[in-house]
Amino acid sequence: MIALATMACGGKQAEETTNTSSEKETEWVTLFNGENFDGWKTYGKDTMATAWSIVDGAIVCNAGAGENNVGFSSESLVTTSTWGNFEFELEYRIAKGGNSGIFYHVIEADTLPFDFITGPEYQVLDDEFSRSETEPYKMVASNYAMHAPAETKKPNPHMEWNKVKIVYNNGHVEHWLNDEKVLEFEEGSEDWLARKAAGKWANSATYAAFKEGAFSLQNHGDEVHYRNIRVRPLK
């Protein structure tokens, strides 16, 4: 388990891509090789949770569950590398009515039973048939329970691939969905602090408290697929 005082820096454990088509592309780091869980672990554990598998080059949570929710689990999948400022991308597809999430700056400690206690969440959700969320600031591409994305967002239907980009640069945060920026905010601003104080995270001293940490994929009990996961560190 990662101790708070001895966390690794800057994603040194991740493997750099070999794409040499341009200088910019060589800066990207691949976080999932499409074949195994190298660079990943179960949050808070040293063993791999059985809910996670690799199917057709994608990381899959609760493969085969379809429209059935098998129950929320604390066993999120977390990177063994950590990141501060970054540009992060992946693609996901989710079952009808499904719920999941992408977290960043996640910290592990014996006193922290869940990833969401520390890391902010880019919400992954099938908005159209959602069984779990109805409020705009908890729908797909939101900063979960804090900021709603633009109403003009265009998520693809359940079990079709969607592209996500998250940018974090010294507190400036951007959420992108299918190549469109749908949300932008400043972490730690007066507006951000007011939203935190008035909402779900009001009494959490650890929520968004860390400026470096792991990425995490949530097991909310639904089937969800993730692929083409990569990150580019920003200075």
CSV table of all heavy atoms in Angstrom, one decimal, residues 3 7 13 15 20 59 67 70 83 86 97 105-106 112 117-118 121 125 136 139 142 168 173 180 193 199 231-232 234:
chain,number,residue,atom,x,y,z
A,3,ALA,N,2.2,4.7,1.1
A,3,ALA,CA,2.2,5.5,2.2
A,3,ALA,C,2.1,7.0,1.8
A,3,ALA,O,2.7,7.4,0.7
A,3,ALA,CB,3.5,5.3,3.1
A,7,MET,N,5.1,8.6,-1.6
A,7,MET,CA,4.6,8.3,-2.8
A,7,MET,C,5.6,8.5,-4.0
A,7,MET,O,6.4,9.4,-3.9
A,7,MET,CB,3.3,9.1,-3.1
A,7,MET,CG,2.2,8.8,-2.1
A,7,MET,SD,0.8,9.7,-2.6
A,7,MET,CE,0.5,9.1,-4.2
A,13,GLN,N,7.1,4.9,-13.1
A,13,GLN,CA,6.9,3.5,-13.3
A,13,GLN,C,6.2,3.1,-14.5
A,13,GLN,O,6.1,1.9,-14.9
A,13,GLN,CB,6.2,2.9,-12.1
A,13,GLN,CG,6.9,3.1,-10.8
A,13,GLN,CD,6.1,2.7,-9.6
A,13,GLN,OE1,5.3,1.8,-9.6
A,13,GLN,NE2,6.1,3.5,-8.5
A,15,GLU,N,5.3,3.0,-18.6
A,15,GLU,CA,6.0,2.8,-19.8
A,15,GLU,C,5.8,3.8,-20.9
A,15,GLU,O,4.6,4.1,-21.2
A,15,GLU,CB,5.7,1.4,-20.4
A,15,GLU,CG,6.5,1.1,-21.7
A,15,GLU,CD,6.1,-0.3,-22.2
A,15,GLU,OE1,5.3,-1.0,-21.6
A,15,GLU,OE2,6.6,-0.6,-23.3
A,20,THR,N,6.8,7.6,-32.7
A,20,THR,CA,7.7,8.7,-33.0
A,20,THR,C,7.2,9.6,-34.1
A,20,THR,O,8.0,10.3,-34.8
A,20,THR,CB,9.1,8.1,-33.4
A,20,THR,OG1,8.9,7.2,-34.5
A,20,THR,CG2,9.7,7.4,-32.2
A,59,ILE,N,-9.6,-3.0,-20.6
A,59,ILE,CA,-9.9,-3.3,-19.2
A,59,ILE,C,-11.4,-3.3,-19.0
A,59,ILE,O,-12.1,-2.4,-19.3
A,59,ILE,CB,-9.2,-2.3,-18.3
A,59,ILE,CG1,-7.7,-2.4,-18.3
A,59,ILE,CG2,-9.7,-2.5,-16.9
A,59,ILE,CD1,-7.0,-1.4,-17.5
A,67,GLU,N,-27.0,-5.4,-18.3
A,67,GLU,CA,-27.8,-4.4,-17.6
A,67,GLU,C,-27.9,-4.6,-16.1
A,67,GLU,O,-28.5,-3.8,-15.4
A,67,GLU,CB,-29.2,-4.3,-18.2
A,67,GLU,CG,-29.2,-3.9,-19.7
A,67,GLU,CD,-30.6,-3.8,-20.3
A,67,GLU,OE1,-31.5,-3.5,-19.5
A,67,GLU,OE2,-30.7,-4.1,-21.5
A,70,VAL,N,-24.1,-5.6,-10.2
A,70,VAL,CA,-23.8,-6.7,-9.2
A,70,VAL,C,-23.4,-6.2,-7.9
A,70,VAL,O,-23.0,-6.9,-7.0
A,70,VAL,CB,-22.6,-7.5,-9.8
A,70,VAL,CG1,-23.1,-8.2,-11.1
A,70,VAL,CG2,-21.4,-6.7,-10.0
A,83,TRP,N,0.8,11.0,-10.5
A,83,TRP,CA,0.9,12.1,-11.5
A,83,TRP,C,0.5,13.4,-10.8
A,83,TRP,O,-0.4,13.4,-9.9
A,83,TRP,CB,0.0,11.8,-12.7
A,83,TRP,CG,0.4,10.5,-13.3
A,83,TRP,CD1,-0.1,9.3,-13.0
A,83,TRP,CD2,1.3,10.3,-14.4
A,83,TRP,NE1,0.5,8.3,-13.8
A,83,TRP,CE2,1.4,8.9,-14.6
A,83,TRP,CE3,2.1,11.2,-15.1
A,83,TRP,CZ2,2.2,8.4,-15.6
A,83,TRP,CZ3,3.0,10.6,-16.1
A,83,TRP,CH2,3.0,9.3,-16.3
A,86,PHE,N,-1.2,17.1,-15.6
A,86,PHE,CA,-1.2,16.1,-16.7
A,86,PHE,C,-2.3,16.4,-17.7
A,86,PHE,O,-3.2,17.2,-17.4
A,86,PHE,CB,-1.5,14.7,-16.1
A,86,PHE,CG,-2.8,14.6,-15.3
A,86,PHE,CD1,-4.0,14.5,-16.0
A,86,PHE,CD2,-2.8,14.7,-13.9
A,86,PHE,CE1,-5.2,14.5,-15.3
A,86,PHE,CE2,-4.0,14.7,-13.2
A,86,PHE,CZ,-5.2,14.6,-13.9
A,97,GLY,N,-27.7,1.9,-18.6
A,97,GLY,CA,-27.9,2.3,-17.2
A,97,GLY,C,-26.8,2.3,-16.3
A,97,GLY,O,-26.9,2.6,-15.1
A,105,HIS,N,-5.4,11.9,-8.8
A,105,HIS,CA,-4.8,12.4,-7.5
A,105,HIS,C,-5.3,11.5,-6.4
A,105,HIS,O,-5.5,12.0,-5.2
A,105,HIS,CB,-5.0,13.8,-7.2
A,105,HIS,CG,-4.3,14.7,-8.2
A,105,HIS,ND1,-4.6,16.1,-8.3
A,105,HIS,CD2,-3.4,14.5,-9.2
A,105,HIS,CE1,-3.8,16.7,-9.2
A,105,HIS,NE2,-3.1,15.7,-9.8
A,106,VAL,N,-5.4,10.2,-6.6
A,106,VAL,CA,-5.9,9.2,-5.6
A,106,VAL,C,-4.8,8.8,-4.7
A,106,VAL,O,-3.7,8.5,-5.2
A,106,VAL,CB,-6.6,8.0,-6.3
A,106,VAL,CG1,-6.8,6.9,-5.3
A,106,VAL,CG2,-7.9,8.4,-7.0
A,112,LEU,N,-8.1,5.3,4.6
A,112,LEU,CA,-8.9,5.7,3.4
A,112,LEU,C,-9.4,4.5,2.7
A,112,LEU,O,-8.8,3.9,1.9
A,112,LEU,CB,-8.0,6.5,2.5
A,112,LEU,CG,-7.3,7.8,3.0
A,112,LEU,CD1,-6.3,8.3,2.0
A,112,LEU,CD2,-8.4,8.8,3.4
A,117,ILE,N,-12.7,9.2,-1.7
A,117,ILE,CA,-12.4,10.1,-0.5
A,117,ILE,C,-11.3,11.1,-0.8
A,117,ILE,O,-11.2,12.1,-0.1
A,117,ILE,CB,-12.1,9.2,0.7
A,117,ILE,CG1,-13.3,8.4,1.1
A,117,ILE,CG2,-11.6,10.0,1.9
A,117,ILE,CD1,-13.0,7.4,2.3
A,118,THR,N,-10.4,10.7,-1.7
A,118,THR,CA,-9.3,11.6,-2.0
A,118,THR,C,-9.4,12.2,-3.4
A,118,THR,O,-9.2,13.4,-3.6
A,118,THR,CB,-8.0,10.8,-1.9
A,118,THR,OG1,-7.9,9.8,-2.9
A,118,THR,CG2,-7.8,10.2,-0.5
A,121,GLU,N,-13.6,13.2,-9.3
A,121,GLU,CA,-14.1,12.2,-10.2
A,121,GLU,C,-14.7,12.8,-11.5
A,121,GLU,O,-15.5,13.7,-11.5
A,121,GLU,CB,-15.2,11.4,-9.6
A,121,GLU,CG,-15.9,10.3,-10.5
A,121,GLU,CD,-17.0,9.6,-9.9
A,121,GLU,OE1,-17.4,9.9,-8.7
A,121,GLU,OE2,-17.6,8.7,-10.5
A,125,LEU,N,-21.1,7.6,-17.0
A,125,LEU,CA,-22.5,7.2,-16.8
A,125,LEU,C,-23.3,7.1,-18.1
A,125,LEU,O,-23.0,7.8,-19.0
A,125,LEU,CB,-23.2,8.3,-15.9
A,125,LEU,CG,-24.6,8.0,-15.3
A,125,LEU,CD1,-24.5,7.2,-14.1
A,125,LEU,CD2,-25.3,9.3,-15.0
A,136,PRO,N,-27.8,17.1,-12.7
A,136,PRO,CA,-26.8,17.5,-13.8
A,136,PRO,C,-25.3,17.4,-13.3
A,136,PRO,O,-24.5,17.0,-14.0
A,136,PRO,CB,-27.2,18.9,-14.1
A,136,PRO,CG,-28.6,19.0,-13.9
A,136,PRO,CD,-28.8,18.2,-12.6
A,139,MET,N,-24.0,13.7,-13.6
A,139,MET,CA,-24.1,13.0,-14.8
A,139,MET,C,-22.8,12.9,-15.6
A,139,MET,O,-21.8,13.4,-15.1
A,139,MET,CB,-25.2,13.7,-15.7
A,139,MET,CG,-26.5,13.9,-15.0
A,139,MET,SD,-27.3,12.4,-14.4
A,139,MET,CE,-28.1,11.8,-15.9
A,142,SER,N,-19.4,15.2,-15.7
A,142,SER,CA,-19.4,16.1,-14.5
A,142,SER,C,-18.1,16.0,-13.7
A,142,SER,O,-17.5,14.9,-13.7
A,142,SER,CB,-20.6,15.9,-13.7
A,142,SER,OG,-20.6,14.7,-13.0
A,168,TYR,N,-5.3,18.6,-16.0
A,168,TYR,CA,-5.1,19.2,-14.7
A,168,TYR,C,-3.8,19.9,-14.8
A,168,TYR,O,-2.7,19.3,-15.0
A,168,TYR,CB,-5.1,18.2,-13.6
A,168,TYR,CG,-5.0,18.8,-12.2
A,168,TYR,CD1,-6.1,19.0,-11.4
A,168,TYR,CD2,-3.7,19.2,-11.7
A,168,TYR,CE1,-6.0,19.7,-10.2
A,168,TYR,CE2,-3.6,19.8,-10.5
A,168,TYR,CZ,-4.8,20.0,-9.7
A,168,TYR,OH,-4.7,20.7,-8.5
A,173,VAL,N,-8.7,22.9,-14.3
A,173,VAL,CA,-9.2,21.5,-14.7
A,173,VAL,C,-10.1,21.7,-15.9
A,173,VAL,O,-11.0,22.6,-16.0
A,173,VAL,CB,-9.9,20.9,-13.6
A,173,VAL,CG1,-10.3,19.4,-14.0
A,173,VAL,CG2,-9.1,20.8,-12.3
A,180,GLU,N,-14.8,17.4,-27.4
A,180,GLU,CA,-15.4,18.7,-27.1
A,180,GLU,C,-15.2,19.1,-25.6
A,180,GLU,O,-15.5,18.2,-24.8
A,180,GLU,CB,-16.9,18.8,-27.4
A,180,GLU,CG,-17.2,18.7,-28.9
A,180,GLU,CD,-18.7,18.9,-29.2
A,180,GLU,OE1,-19.4,19.2,-28.3
A,180,GLU,OE2,-19.1,18.7,-30.3
A,193,LEU,N,-14.5,26.3,-3.5
A,193,LEU,CA,-14.6,26.1,-2.1
A,193,LEU,C,-16.0,26.3,-1.6
A,193,LEU,O,-16.5,25.5,-0.7
A,193,LEU,CB,-13.7,27.2,-1.4
A,193,LEU,CG,-12.2,27.0,-1.5
A,193,LEU,CD1,-11.5,28.2,-1.0
A,193,LEU,CD2,-11.7,25.8,-0.8
A,199,GLY,N,-21.8,21.0,-0.3
A,199,GLY,CA,-22.2,19.8,-0.9
A,199,GLY,C,-21.7,18.5,-0.2
A,199,GLY,O,-21.4,18.5,1.0
A,231,VAL,N,-1.3,9.1,-20.7
A,231,VAL,CA,-1.2,10.4,-20.0
A,231,VAL,C,0.0,11.1,-20.5
A,231,VAL,O,1.0,10.5,-20.9
A,231,VAL,CB,-1.1,10.1,-18.5
A,231,VAL,CG1,0.1,9.3,-18.1
A,231,VAL,CG2,-1.2,11.4,-17.7
A,232,ARG,N,0.0,12.4,-20.5
A,232,ARG,CA,1.1,13.2,-20.8
A,232,ARG,C,1.4,14.2,-19.7
A,232,ARG,O,0.5,15.0,-19.3
A,232,ARG,CB,0.8,14.0,-22.1
A,232,ARG,CG,2.0,14.9,-22.6
A,232,ARG,CD,1.7,15.4,-24.0
A,232,ARG,NE,0.6,16.4,-24.0
A,232,ARG,CZ,0.8,17.7,-23.9
A,232,ARG,NH1,2.0,18.2,-23.8
A,232,ARG,NH2,-0.2,18.5,-24.0
A,234,LEU,N,2.4,17.4,-17.6
A,234,LEU,CA,2.6,18.8,-17.9
A,234,LEU,C,3.5,19.4,-16.8
A,234,LEU,O,3.4,19.1,-15.7
A,234,LEU,CB,1.2,19.5,-17.9
A,234,LEU,CG,0.2,19.0,-18.8
A,234,LEU,CD1,-1.1,19.7,-18.6
A,234,LEU,CD2,0.6,19.1,-20.3
